[in-house]
Amino acid sequence: MTPAPLATRLDIPSGPLFFPVTAYGPDGSVDLDTYRTHVRRGVEAGAAAVFACCGTGEFHALTPEEFEGCVRVAVEAADGRVPVVAGAGYGTALAVRYARLAEAAGADGLLAMPPYLVVAGQEGLLRHYREVAAATALPVIVYQRDNAVFTPQTVVALARTDGIIGLKDGLGDLDLMQRVVSAVRCEAPGDFLYFNGLPTAEQTQLAYRALGVTLYSSAVFCFAPEIALAFHQALRTGDDATVAKLLDGFYRPFVELRDRGRGYAVALVKAGVRLRGLDVGEVRPPLHEPSGDHVKQLAELIERGHALLEEAK
Ligand SMILES: O=C([O-])C(=O)C[C@H](O)[C@@H](O)C(=O)[O-]
């Protein structure tokens, strides 16, 4: 069989990148109907792309069958309006399996998560991502975080690899990112994509934009799309007053609240979706639910965010 040609692009329109949570029913099983509603609402609200079953979508907690079901539903819900990118991870063999499942489910691209557990050297990391990219026709975005941190030369090599189209940074080392952007510009010129993928990326987006990184993920978009969209619009149009107001009054306190518990990067976001009326269930172990007091503070913060949007009108 002739392999399908590798896609070289992913057309992402302007807007926040939506990383939906995965919905579970009361018995803990995946609730695809609620997940469909969550993804559809996000797309209709103005997401630029859907990143299904990634960190916020509890990739780590899904079986391959559940993963494929969720990606399929995300593709149906997006209905061709925006691209759907799916997570793929663990060791090379399993990452390849997830990549192929995502392709079969109709995804438009992959977010390659760090390999499971081992702390590998640059040469091994490069081989890992190259094998994942070679296994499907889907364009691959490599996710830098935790045990997958790259030198500028490794990113140059990734950028020269067929099928690898971008780097999502969840590390937050601006000096390293500046060197990466510079090295790729000089040694692998083209349209390699960069994403600010730090938790609550809005908090650092002014700094990333200065490096030329304009795409960013938004967990806030899951539960307060109106706030995430207003921030994105303010950034895009140079409305510095609204950017500062939302950073000072909403994003900074949200980041501080999110830092109050381990796993809150997911659990608090899921609580936020429930607060806004969609019962996406609880997080699966080993994550745990946020305390009642923290959920109350999140509800107050969402109200404050809405008041700030009114003031900014
Ligand atoms: O894999 C993931 O879910 C992410 O890295 C994206 C998140 O939206 C991240 O930006 C966050 O947690 O705010």
Side-chain angles (χ1 to χ4, degrees):
M1 194 173 83
T2 322
L6 291 176
T8 52
R9 297 181 55 86
L10 193 62
D11 287 319
I12 301 178
S14 173
L17 305 178
F18 174 31
F19 286 67
V21 300
T22 297
Y24 305 126
D27 64 354
S29 63
V30 172
D31 175 354
L32 288 177
D33 286 339
T34 304
Y35 184 65
R36 182 179 285 106
T37 303
H38 180 46
V39 175
R40 184 177 40 75
R41 285 184 185 169
V43 171
E44 285 168 3
V50 177
F51 283 66
C53 305
C54 295
T56 315
E58 292 176 78
F59 175 79
H60 65 274
L62 300 173
T63 66
E65 295 74 24
E66 289 172 329
F67 166 87
E68 188 183 15
C70 288
V71 176
R72 204 170 283 286
V73 163
V75 170
E76 281 165 23
D79 198 20
R81 291 172 285 187
V82 293
V84 175
V85 176
Y90 302 116
T92 310
L94 268 180
V96 163
R97 180 159 172 218
Y98 278 94
R100 290 185 175 145
L101 287 173
E103 187 171 18
D108 302 291
L110 297 170
L111 179 63
M113 314 297 246
Y116 182 62
L117 210 53
V118 286
V119 180
Q122 298 293 302
E123 192 188 327
L125 287 171
L126 186 56
R127 274 189 59 192
H128 170 79
Y129 293 105
R130 283 185 162 160
E131 286 187 29
V132 175
T136 78
L138 296 181
V140 175
I141 300 157
V142 175
Y143 193 177
Q144 164 160 279
R145 60 179 275 189
D146 302 311
N147 57 338
V149 175
F150 310 107
T151 63
Q153 280 316 306
T154 302
V155 182
V156 167
L158 289 169
R160 287 181 176 153
T161 301
D162 269 352
I164 298 186
I165 60 152
L167 179 77
K168 177 177 185 288
D169 182 43
L171 178 70
D173 179 339
L174 290 186
D175 168 73
L176 175 62
M177 271 309 278
Q178 178 70 86
R179 287 184 290 121
V180 162
V181 169
S182 162
V184 172
R185 185 169 53 227
C186 295
E187 296 174 46
D191 49 9
F192 198 62
L193 299 174
Y194 298 98
F195 301 76
N196 173 3
L198 281 168
T200 318
E202 286 94 336
Q203 183 66 24
T204 49
Q205 189 46 29
L206 283 172
Y208 274 76
R209 193 181 58 174
L211 300 180
V213 179
T214 53
L215 296 164
Y216 63 87
S217 53
S218 175
V220 167
F221 186 87
C222 285
F223 63 87
E226 57 289 343
I227 298 174
L229 284 161
F231 184 83
H232 190 276
Q233 160 90 348
L235 263 184
R236 202 175 51 78
T237 58
D239 177 357
D240 297 342
T242 300
V243 169
K245 207 183 265 281
L246 288 173
L247 280 176
D248 299 347
F250 177 79
Y251 282 105
R252 177 163 57 86
F254 176 65
V255 166
E256 283 163 2
L257 184 58
R258 219 175 155 179
D259 282 347
R260 302 276 295 276
R262 286 231 176 234
Y264 273 19
V266 179
L268 204 62
V269 174
K270 218 162 183 184
V273 180
R274 292 196 305 267
L275 278 172
R276 298 304 299 281
L278 189 66
D279 189 0
V280 286
E282 300 192 345
V283 286
R284 280 181 173 173
L287 299 181
H288 64 85
E289 285 300 300
S291 71
D293 180 46
H294 290 160
V295 175
K296 187 164 159 275
Q297 288 180 44
L298 177 61
E300 288 162 4
L301 206 46
I302 296 171
E303 267 182 44
R304 188 165 356 141
H306 288 152
L308 292 169
L309 292 189
E310 279 303 308
E311 276 173 34
K313 272 186 186 164

